[in-house]
Amino acid sequence: MPALDTLLSLLIPTLILLHLYVAPFTKVEESFNIQAAHDILTYGIPNKNVSVALRNYDHFKFPGPVPRTFVGAVVLAGASRPVISLLGLLGGQRQVAVRAVLGLSNACALLAYRNGVTRAFGRTTGNWYLLIHASQFHLMYYASRTLPNMFAFCLSTLALRNFLPVPSTTSTTSKRHKLSIYLLTITGIVFRSEVAILLATQVGYLLMQRRISLLREVIPAGLAGTIVGLLVTVPVDSFFWQKTPLWPELAGFYFNAINGKSSNWGTSPWWTYFGNAIPRLVMNPVAGQVCLPLAVALKPTRKASLDILIPLSIFVGIYSLLPHKEWRFVIYALPGLTAVAAVGANWVWTRRTKSIVYRFLSLALIASTLASVGVSLGMLAISSLNYPGAEALEKVHRLTLGSKDIVHVHLDAMTCMTGVTRFMQMPPQRLLRYDKTDDERKLMYPSFWDKFDYVLAERPEKVIGAWEVVDQVDGYAGVRLLHPGESRSGEVENGMPRKPTAERGGNGRESNLASLWASLESLARSKITRGWWVEIQMEPKIMILKKQRGSDYAVAGD
């Protein structure tokens, strides 16, 4: 059924772009690459007075604890520039274009992996692979986000595709193995050093099974990848950081692993990846807890499944020894885990007419996949409410539209961490000037605040001077399960919940989603859930303060 295959192939890029459209803003952990892409697109790559010209770049003003590679940002800026120029995109539209390039690159990598799954296990397995991925929130949501891990994910997925048990000649298999080692080596050197562990577990597993040659495949491909990776990252990053020589991933590895600084960001138990992160990544309960174990248990699919799972499990196990854990550090294992789950799903689905057990499991698999998609979309709606800083800056732009005077705006740390990027700042001709000072000593002087017309602040009581709160932006504050007959406020009128109203927040994105959620509530509680519902709770996050010229001295929080 070529039409079905094509439709399912379009599902992954469509969902990635949908997640990008609903949540176009970024957070602080994505900031380096998105700011770097902006600066390359805006200022270009200087070829004279380099050290002076690069001072306009964000990373010189906010360098961070360790340097990051510019390689991904250079590629994104170069790939998105033709689209931006052709469509005449401006401001935040350029940010969406940059993220779309990364998202579609990861979509292509997933489709390439799907083709490998199809060749190894059949067309139906390949289709289930896509359907299971489509129900995974984290992958669809983060595929377009400029985390270093998502650059690495694209290359590692392409590399791991060549380790799938695809029928081929010995010569072709050898070439595929060398390509995988080459790509994983480059990925580890340029983007994320933990990929070296993934490379070691994959190669070590094949060496133990005598399916790869150390001298003819591993060493040549590893050396080539090392040379190419270093020739790419060292010159590029030495140039942009104006430090010679500089290898960012080595500096990051030394800072986090050798000096143990990663623990400063929190620690988790050793079992976190296996017991929490991976189940959340897979998300689909029947696929992860029934189909995946089934593929391992069944003799016809056991060997191929274990060949995929064992190296990935060892990788996750080794990485579990580090105290600081985040799901994105092991996301490279997700395509392989999903492939094995798809093998089990195919086994169940193709036997649905042969016994009542398989018929029941098939129905459960369909229900689980649909439910996971629904939960994923709900999580998307909630996650889009986590960017009050971006919403607040957009409101300031509307408030100052048409101003003939220069408007000075201060953005506090919370504002900058929740959606504000250079892409969102207006060009100089709009007469807006932005300040991101976070030095606590400077913030204590009344004279510091005198120059600003607007302040975006999480805690207005810290803003010194005479200010008026002209607006606020609410953000996500949790969810609450509503029982039948219980209204959103926790009160009951005549035994029935009161008619829901949208949360406050003006005309912003959070208000639009709240209105949609409120509309769905009335329909679902009366027709589907028998009164049960999940309330999205909002709370004030960012206050928009306007300077009161000529007023008596006061503090904004008074």
Side-chain angles (χ1 to χ4, degrees), residues 11-26 30 34 76 80 83 89 92-105 137-146 376-377 380-381 383-384 387 423 509 513:
L11 183 62
I12 297 301
T14 300
L15 282 173
I16 289 174
L17 293 179
L18 173 65
H19 284 68
L20 168 58
Y21 173 77
V22 175
F25 305 126
T26 62
E30 308 158 48
I34 202 69
L76 283 188
S80 60
V83 177
L89 302 180
Q93 296 172 332
R94 297 197 301 162
Q95 176 170 299
V96 171
V98 168
R99 285 187 53 195
V101 169
L102 178 59
L104 292 176
S105 298
F137 166 74
H138 289 85
L139 182 57
M140 297 297 103
Y141 187 76
Y142 282 91
S144 68
R145 298 193 169 272
T146 53
S376 178
L377 293 176
L380 168 61
S383 297
S384 70
Y387 304 92
F423 277 114
R509 179 179 304 269
L513 284 169

Side-chain angles (χ1 to χ4, degrees), residues 16-202:
I16 289 174
L17 293 179
L18 173 65
H19 284 68
L20 168 58
Y21 173 77
V22 175
F25 305 126
T26 62
K27 275 198 172 182
V28 63
E29 58 265 26
E30 308 158 48
S31 64
F32 173 79
N33 281 298
I34 202 69
Q35 304 283 46
H38 166 275
D39 294 341
I40 294 168
L41 286 168
T42 302
Y43 305 115
I45 300 176
N47 54 19
K48 58 182 178 180
N49 297 325
V50 174
S51 60
V52 175
L54 286 176
R55 293 295 163 182
N56 292 317
Y57 276 48
D58 184 78
H59 70 290
F60 275 109
K61 297 179 180 179
F62 303 96
V66 292
R68 293 294 185 185
T69 182
F70 266 82
V71 173
V74 170
V75 173
L76 283 188
S80 60
R81 185 182 293 276
V83 177
I84 291 171
S85 299
L86 180 64
L87 299 179
L89 302 180
L90 300 171
Q93 296 172 332
R94 297 197 301 162
Q95 176 170 299
V96 171
V98 168
R99 285 187 53 195
V101 169
L102 178 59
L104 292 176
S105 298
N106 279 316
C108 289
L110 290 170
L111 291 176
Y113 197 97
R114 179 269 192 118
N115 291 339
V117 171
T118 299
R119 290 186 60 192
F121 302 106
R123 184 177 62 83
T124 306
T125 303
N127 288 341
W128 272 113
Y129 171 81
L130 292 181
L131 287 170
I132 295 171
H133 265 324
S135 66
Q136 295 167 346
F137 166 74
H138 289 85
L139 182 57
M140 297 297 103
Y141 187 76
Y142 282 91
S144 68
R145 298 193 169 272
T146 53
L147 295 164
N149 310 80
M150 298 319 298
F151 290 96
F153 179 83
C154 181
L155 292 177
S156 68
T157 301
L158 292 173
L160 294 176
R161 180 247 188 252
N162 289 293
F163 283 130
L164 290 171
V166 174
S168 60
T169 63
T170 302
S171 174
T172 302
T173 300
S174 177
K175 292 178 181 178
R176 289 172 47 237
H177 286 166
K178 286 191 285 187
L179 178 60
S180 296
I181 296 169
Y182 177 77
L183 289 175
L184 287 175
T185 303
I186 292 175
T187 305
I189 286 175
V190 176
F191 293 112
R192 291 297 302 184
S193 58
E194 69 261 18
V195 174
I197 303 174
L198 180 62
L199 172 62
T201 59
Q202 292 286 344

Side-chain angles (χ1 to χ4, degrees), residues 148-385:
N149 310 80
M150 298 319 298
F151 290 96
F153 179 83
C154 181
L155 292 177
S156 68
T157 301
L158 292 173
L160 294 176
R161 180 247 188 252
N162 289 293
F163 283 130
L164 290 171
V166 174
S168 60
T169 63
T170 302
S171 174
T172 302
T173 300
S174 177
K175 292 178 181 178
R176 289 172 47 237
H177 286 166
K178 286 191 285 187
L179 178 60
S180 296
I181 296 169
Y182 177 77
L183 289 175
L184 287 175
T185 303
I186 292 175
T187 305
I189 286 175
V190 176
F191 293 112
R192 291 297 302 184
S193 58
E194 69 261 18
V195 174
I197 303 174
L198 180 62
L199 172 62
T201 59
Q202 292 286 344
V203 170
Y205 182 74
L206 293 175
L207 285 172
M208 289 181 62
Q209 293 195 325
R210 301 177 182 270
R211 292 166 51 192
I212 195 171
S213 170
L214 181 64
L215 296 178
R216 291 194 302 271
E217 296 170 5
V218 178
I219 293 178
L223 283 175
T226 299
I227 293 171
V228 171
L230 290 175
L231 287 177
V232 169
T233 187
V234 173
V236 168
D237 294 309
S238 297
F239 172 82
F240 280 104
W241 286 96
Q242 291 293 286
K243 296 178 181 178
T244 305
L246 177 64
W247 178 6
E249 272 310 293
L250 179 62
F253 175 79
Y254 185 82
F255 180 84
N256 290 310
I258 304 301
N259 288 341
K261 298 296 185 179
S262 64
S263 299
N264 295 344
W265 305 106
T267 60
S268 302
W270 67 268
W271 48 262
T272 298
Y273 286 137
F274 289 107
N276 182 280
I278 288 178
R280 286 195 296 126
L281 286 173
V282 176
M283 194 164 177
N284 189 321
V286 173
Q289 299 173 31
V290 177
C291 294
L292 193 152
L294 182 65
V296 176
L298 294 168
K299 188 174 181 180
T301 58
R302 182 181 304 152
K303 185 181 185 306
S305 298
L306 289 176
D307 285 344
I308 297 172
L309 285 179
I310 289 176
L312 297 178
S313 299
I314 296 174
F315 160 67
V316 176
I318 293 174
Y319 215 66
S320 296
L321 299 177
L322 294 179
H324 177 61
K325 298 174 178 66
E326 295 184 39
W327 61 262
R328 57 191 175 96
F329 296 157
V330 295
I331 195 172
Y332 322 111
L334 187 56
L337 297 173
T338 303
V340 177
V343 171
N346 173 67
W347 183 275
V348 169
W349 183 252
T350 55
R351 288 161 178 78
R352 64 189 183 280
T353 61
K354 296 183 178 180
S355 77
I356 191 172
V357 173
Y358 284 124
R359 189 176 302 118
F360 171 78
L361 288 176
S362 296
L363 292 174
L365 179 60
I366 293 173
S368 177
T369 303
L370 292 175
S372 296
V373 170
V375 171
S376 178
L377 293 176
M379 293 175 67
L380 168 61
I382 291 173
S383 297
S384 70
L385 304 175

Side-chain angles (χ1 to χ4, degrees), residues 396 399-400 407-411 449 451-456 467-468 470 544-547 549:
V396 168
L399 288 170
T400 58
V407 177
H408 293 273
V409 183
H410 173 73
L411 313 173
W449 300 99
K451 58 188 174 185
F452 298 114
D453 301 289
Y454 287 89
V455 171
L456 276 57
W467 300 87
E468 176 190 1
V470 296
I544 301 176
L545 311 178
K546 184 179 180 180
K547 188 75 166 183
R549 301 295 180 185

